[in-house]
Amino acid sequence: ERVWLADIQGPPMGCGCVAFSPDGTRLVSGGPAIPEIGEAVPPIVWDTATGQEKQHLSGHPRPVSVLAFSAAGDRLFSGGGGQPIKCW
């Protein structure tokens, strides 16, 4: 069991799903839609050592509810809400 504790400042609406990279160095969070702007929170890649954002993965028109890394950790898959799965 891994426990990751960090004081990160994420999206104001929270997150709906998370995935750790196999080596534990990255965490990706996916979020709900933000009604005020009519957009979904993009998946955000976090550095688990520092708790800092590394990258925003834009391109999903609706909320992301599923995140998964490949076994090698070199690919991330995201999707949800009937939209196509993206491979990053």
Side-chain angles (χ1 to χ4, degrees):
E1 177 178 324
R2 284 189 281 185
V3 177
W4 185 64
L5 300 174
D7 184 17
I8 60 174
Q9 298 299 316
M13 299 299 287
C15 69
C17 56
V18 296
F20 277 97
S21 62
D23 64 4
T25 61
R26 293 168 289 156
L27 173 83
V28 180
S29 62
I34 303 173
E36 293 82 14
I37 61 173
E39 295 179 9
V41 174
I44 301 171
V45 180
W46 303 89
D47 182 312
T48 58
T50 65
Q52 299 296 309
E53 291 182 28
K54 292 181 76 169
Q55 186 177 12
H56 283 233
L57 304 174
S58 59
H60 280 291
R62 293 188 295 274
V64 170
S65 58
V66 178
L67 294 165
F69 276 95
S70 64
D74 59 343
R75 301 265 187 234
L76 172 71
F77 301 91
S78 59
Q83 59 193 325
I85 294 172
K86 289 196 174 281
C87 177
W88 307 89

